[in-house]
C-alpha cells in the first residue's frame, strides 16, 4: 500500500504519471501537468473490481466501516496542504477564505460525521400478532459523477455515505478538475482495502457509459439540470437508483424589518462563496423599497474590500472562474443586464487583456425582474438585486422558476422569518444566512433541482435499500 504524499510535487507526480491532456491554472494559465484519460474498456475493469470487492466490504459491521472512514479522514487531514495547493492551482479557488483549505476541512468533517451516524434497526409494528422491522442493506456498486466547483468535498459526499452503507464506488471526476480528485482518491486509498474506491479519469462520454452500465447499481450526480435529465433518462432501462443534486437559482428575500448593515456580510458570502460557483449560492436578491438603497450601499461596502486574485497569494479570498466557458456565461448575462437598463453598482468591467478567467465582483441594481441575469443561473460573481413593493410580490417572484434548491429569508423577527420561509418553494430555506450546509442535516432540491437527499441519516438511507422483515 502506498504511503501518504507529503508535498505538492510528490502528489502531482503521482497523479500525472502517464497523463496526456494538458491542465492549466485558470488564474495564471500556466501548465500544471498532464491528466490521464481512460476509456470504457477501463471502466469495465474498474466496475468488475468494485463488484468483486463489494461483498467483503459489505460483510464488515457498521462500526468496522466507520473505523475505515475515520482513517480516511485522518489521511485527508495529513495531506490537506498539498491537496489544497493542487485544488487551488487546478480549480482556481484561493487557499484562504471559504475556499481550498476550507474545502479540505469540509472533507475531513463530512467523513468523520458520516462515520458517527447511527442507523439502527427500526421496529415498525410489534403488537403481539405482527412484528415488522426495517433495515437498510447495501445497494452494491455506486457510480459517482462529480462537478468542478467543489470537486473534493462533493466527491467525499459521494464516497463517505456509499462506503458507510457497505457499497463500493467508481468515480468519474469532471474533466476540469481531474487531478484534484485523482489526488484525493490516491490519499484515501492509502488506508482502504483494494477495490473499494475506484476512479476513472475520462471524458463525459465515459460518464454517460456509467449511467447504462449493468454493473453499476446507483448513480449519484451533482451538476446541471440538463445533464441530470439525460442521466435520469439513460438509467431507465436498468432502473438504477439515483441521487441528483442539480442546478439552482436560489432566491434571497430581505424583509422590511432587517438591518442592512448587520446582514450585508452574510448576503455577500451567501452569493459570492467560491466566487459564486456554488449550486446553492444566493443568485437573486429581493429587497423591499424601504431598504433598497441601504442594502445596496452596504453590499458595495463589503464587496469592494474582498480581494480577488491568484489563489496561492494568501491575501486573496475570491478567484477566477474555473473555465472559459463559465466566464463567457457570466460576461454574457451581465451584458444583458446592462443592455436591459440595470445599474452597475460595482464591477461589470472585466479586463479582457489580463491573464486568467477573472470576472470582477459585480452587483447590479434596478434590474428588471425578468432579465436573463435574474431568471437564468449565472454561477459566477454577479448578483442582481431586485426591488419589491409587497411581500406577496417577492414570494411570487422567488417561487416562479422551475428550480428549487435553496433560498433564504433575512429578518430581525425570527418568527416572521419562519412564516415566510414556509412559503418559499425550495429544498432548504435558511434564515439570516445562505448556503450553510451541515453534515448532520439532509440537503436536496425540489422541482428541477433534482431528487434524493444527501447528508445525515437520511442521506445514508439513500445509499441503501430498505428491507422489511415481517413475522
Amino acid at each position: 500500500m502506498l504511503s501518504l504524499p507529503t508535498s505538492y510535487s510528490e502528489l502531482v507526480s503521482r497523479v500525472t504519471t502517464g497523463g496526456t491532456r494538458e491542465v492549466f491554472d485558470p488564474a495564471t494559465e500556466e501548465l500544471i501537468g498532464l491528466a490521464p484519460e481512460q476509456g470504457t474498456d477501463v471502466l469495465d475493469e474498474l466496475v468488475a473490481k468494485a463488484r468483486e470487492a463489494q461483498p467483503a466490504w459489505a460483510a464488515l459491521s457498521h462500526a468496522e466501516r466507520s473505523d475505515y472512514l475515520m482513517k480516511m479522514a485522518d489521511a485527508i487531514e495529513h495531506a490537506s496542504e498539498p491537496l489544497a495547493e493542487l485544488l487551488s492551482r487546478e480549480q482556481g479557488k484561493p487557499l484562504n477564505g471559504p475556499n481550498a483549505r476550507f474545502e479540505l476541512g469540509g472533507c475531513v468533517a463530512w467523513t468523520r460525521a458520516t462515520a458517527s451516524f447511527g442507523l439502527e434497526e427500526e421496529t415498525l409494528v410489534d403488537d403481539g400478532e405482527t412484528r415488522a422491522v426495517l433495515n437498510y442493506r447495501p445497494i452494491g456498486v455506486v457510480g459517482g459523477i462529480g462537478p468542478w466547483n467543489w470537486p473534493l468535498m462533493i466527491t467525499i459526499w459521494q464516497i463517505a455515505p456509499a462506503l458507510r452503507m457497505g457499497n463500493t464506488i467508481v468515480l468519474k471526476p469532471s474533466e476540469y478538475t481531474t487531478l484534484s480528485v485523482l489526488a484525493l482518491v490516491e490519499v484515501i486509498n492509502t488506508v482502504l482495502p483494494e477495490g473499494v474506491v475506484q476512479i476513472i479519469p475520462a471524458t463525459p462520454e465515459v460518464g454517460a457509459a456509467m449511467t447504462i452500465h449493468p454493473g453499476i447499481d446507483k448513480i449519484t450526480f451533482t451538476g446541471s439540470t440538463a445533464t441530470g435529465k439525460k442521466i435520469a433518462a439513460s438509467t431507465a432501462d436498468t432502473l438504477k437508483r439515483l441521487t441528483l443534486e442539480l442546478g439552482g437559482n436560489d432566491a434571497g428575500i430581505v424583509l422590511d424589518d432587517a438591518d442592512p448593515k448587520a446582514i450585508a456580510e452574510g448576503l455577500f458570502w451567501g452569493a459570492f462563496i467560491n466566487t459564486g460557483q456554488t449550486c446553492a449560492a444566493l443568485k437573486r436578491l429581493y429587497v423591499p423599497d424601504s431598504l433598497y438603497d441601504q442594502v445596496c450601499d452596504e453590499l458595495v461596502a463589503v464587496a469592494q474590500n474582498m480581494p480577488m486574485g491568484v489563489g496561492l497569494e494568501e491575501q486573496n479570498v475570491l478567484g477566477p472562474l474555473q473555465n472559459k466557458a463559465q466566464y463567457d456565461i457570466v460576461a454574457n448575462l451581465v451584458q444583458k443586464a446592462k443592455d436591459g437598463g440595470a445599474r452597475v453598482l460595482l464591477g461589470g468591467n472585466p479586463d479582457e487583456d489580463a491573464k486568467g478567467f477573472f470576472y470582477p465582483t459585480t452587483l447590479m441594481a434596478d434590474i428588471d425582474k425578468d432579465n436573463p441575469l435574474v431568471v437564468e443561473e449565472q454561477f459566477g460573481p454577479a448578483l442582481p438585486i431586485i426591488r419589491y413593493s409587497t411581500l406577496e410580490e417577492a414570494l411570487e417572484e422567488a417561487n416562479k422558476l422551475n428550480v428549487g434548491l435553496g433560498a433564504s429569508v433575512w429578518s430581525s423577527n425570527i418568527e416572521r422569518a419562519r412564516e415566510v420561509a414556509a412559503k418559499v418553494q425550495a429544498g432548504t430555506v435558511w434564515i439570516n444566512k445562505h448556503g450553510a450546509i451541515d453534515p448532520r442535516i439532509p440537503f436536496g432540491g425540489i422541482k428541477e433541482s433534482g431528487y434524493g437527499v444527501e447528508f445525515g441519516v437520511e442521506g445514508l438511507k439513500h445509499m441503501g435499500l430498505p428491507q422489511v422483515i415481517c413475522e
Side-chain angles (χ1 to χ4, degrees):
M1 187 172 287
L2 288 172
S3 61
L4 280 169
T6 58
S7 68
Y8 169 78
S9 58
E10 181 186 356
L11 190 63
V12 171
S13 176
R14 288 193 192 184
V15 299
T16 56
T17 300
T20 58
R21 179 173 56 80
E22 292 181 326
V23 178
F24 295 93
D25 185 330
T28 64
E29 301 184 46
E30 295 173 355
L31 180 69
I32 299 170
L34 302 177
E37 287 193 330
Q38 297 169 334
T40 53
D41 56 333
V42 176
L43 175 64
D44 292 338
E45 295 173 12
L46 297 182
V47 173
K49 288 180 181 178
R51 295 204 75 80
E52 183 180 356
Q54 194 270 330
W57 180 252
L60 298 177
S61 67
H62 278 294
E64 289 170 321
R65 293 195 295 268
S66 289
D67 186 56
Y68 271 111
L69 261 62
M70 295 300 285
K71 292 175 181 176
M72 275 175 49
D74 291 344
I76 296 167
E77 191 168 50
H78 181 84
S80 61
E81 193 61 20
L83 282 168
E85 182 174 346
L86 176 55
L87 176 62
S88 181
R89 289 177 183 268
E90 184 179 42
Q91 201 280 339
K93 63 182 65 183
L95 290 171
N96 291 322
N99 294 296
R101 288 176 177 138
F102 172 86
E103 183 166 347
L104 267 299
C107 290
V108 174
W110 250 265
T111 303
R112 288 179 177 154
T114 305
S116 73
F117 298 141
L119 188 58
E120 305 300 327
E121 179 177 88
E122 182 181 350
T123 300
L124 305 175
V125 178
D126 191 1
D127 61 4
E129 295 182 4
T130 299
R131 182 175 186 272
V133 296
L134 171 65
N135 278 290
Y136 285 83
R137 309 300 185 196
I139 298 173
V141 174
V142 174
I145 303 174
W148 49 259
N149 59 333
W150 294 91
L152 302 191
M153 192 149 64
I154 291 175
T155 296
I156 286 296
W157 296 350
Q158 296 173 334
I159 293 174
L163 267 54
R164 173 72 166 73
M165 290 302 294
N167 307 295
T168 53
I169 190 166
V170 178
L171 299 159
K172 206 294 288 183
S174 167
E175 61 273 24
Y176 288 114
T177 48
T178 300
L179 297 180
S180 298
V181 183
L182 280 171
L184 177 68
V185 172
E186 179 85 6
V187 166
I188 66 176
N189 272 340
T190 63
V191 298
L192 290 176
E194 186 176 355
V196 172
V197 175
Q198 306 276 344
I199 183 169
I200 181 163
T203 61
E205 288 72 25
V206 172
M210 291 173 69
T211 67
I212 60 173
H213 200 291
I216 294 177
D217 304 293
K218 176 185 172 81
I219 293 290
T220 175
F221 169 74
T222 298
S224 72
T225 295
T227 301
K229 288 179 177 180
K230 292 178 182 177
I231 289 173
S234 65
T235 56
D237 284 345
T238 53
L239 288 178
K240 298 186 194 308
R241 272 57 184 170
L242 292 174
T243 297
L244 301 175
E245 196 267 86
L246 307 179
N249 193 346
D250 288 13
I253 301 176
V254 176
L255 303 188
D256 58 10
D257 58 16
D259 179 343
K261 189 175 185 64
I263 66 175
E265 189 164 346
L267 288 171
F268 175 84
W269 283 119
F272 292 96
I273 186 172
N274 197 28
T275 315
Q277 299 167 108
T278 298
C279 294
L282 171 58
K283 298 189 173 81
R284 47 197 174 109
L285 181 63
Y286 296 91
V287 181
D289 292 324
S290 60
L291 296 181
Y292 191 82
D293 291 338
Q294 290 174 271
V295 169
C296 287
D297 290 345
E298 295 294 345
L299 267 172
V300 169
V302 171
Q304 64 189 2
N305 290 314
M306 295 293 181
M308 175 183 286
V310 175
L312 297 183
E313 297 174 2
E314 296 278 349
Q315 76 275 13
N316 293 323
V317 294
L318 299 169
L321 278 305
Q322 201 285 323
N323 55 77
K324 182 61 163 58
Q326 193 57 44
Y327 176 95
D328 290 343
I329 289 171
V330 175
N332 180 260
L333 288 173
V334 172
Q335 188 59 52
K336 287 180 178 178
K338 291 180 182 179
D339 294 345
R343 176 165 54 101
V344 179
L345 297 174
L346 185 71
N349 56 339
D351 183 350
E352 301 292 352
D353 297 323
K355 283 190 175 181
F357 306 133
F358 289 98
Y359 198 91
T361 305
T362 299
L363 296 169
M364 304 295 292
D366 298 329
I367 186 169
D368 184 82
K369 63 184 181 180
D370 293 318
N371 188 276
L373 182 61
V374 177
V375 298
E376 298 177 22
E377 184 182 23
Q378 68 274 52
F379 215 69
L383 178 66
I385 308 170
I386 307 102
R387 287 181 184 270
Y388 74 83
S389 298
T390 67
L391 182 55
E392 290 71 22
E393 174 192 347
L395 284 167
E396 181 181 355
E397 291 302 313
N399 290 336
K400 75 178 183 181
L401 301 185
N402 61 355
V403 288
L405 189 56
S408 56
V409 177
W410 304 76
S411 173
S412 297
N413 184 328
I414 192 68
E415 291 300 328
R416 185 179 179 218
R418 288 172 182 159
E419 291 176 4
V420 175
K423 299 175 183 178
V424 179
Q425 297 169 5
T428 299
V429 184
W430 293 277
I431 294 176
N432 293 329
K433 54 189 174 183
H434 196 108
I437 54 175
D438 185 308
R440 301 166 298 178
I441 301 171
F443 177 76
I446 63 172
K447 300 182 181 180
E448 293 191 2
S449 288
Y451 45 75
V453 298
E454 302 171 291
F455 314 159
V457 173
E458 289 304 313
L460 287 183
K461 291 177 180 179
H462 282 249
M463 284 291 186
L465 296 174
Q467 182 187 52
V468 174
I469 296 178
C470 190
E471 302 170 12

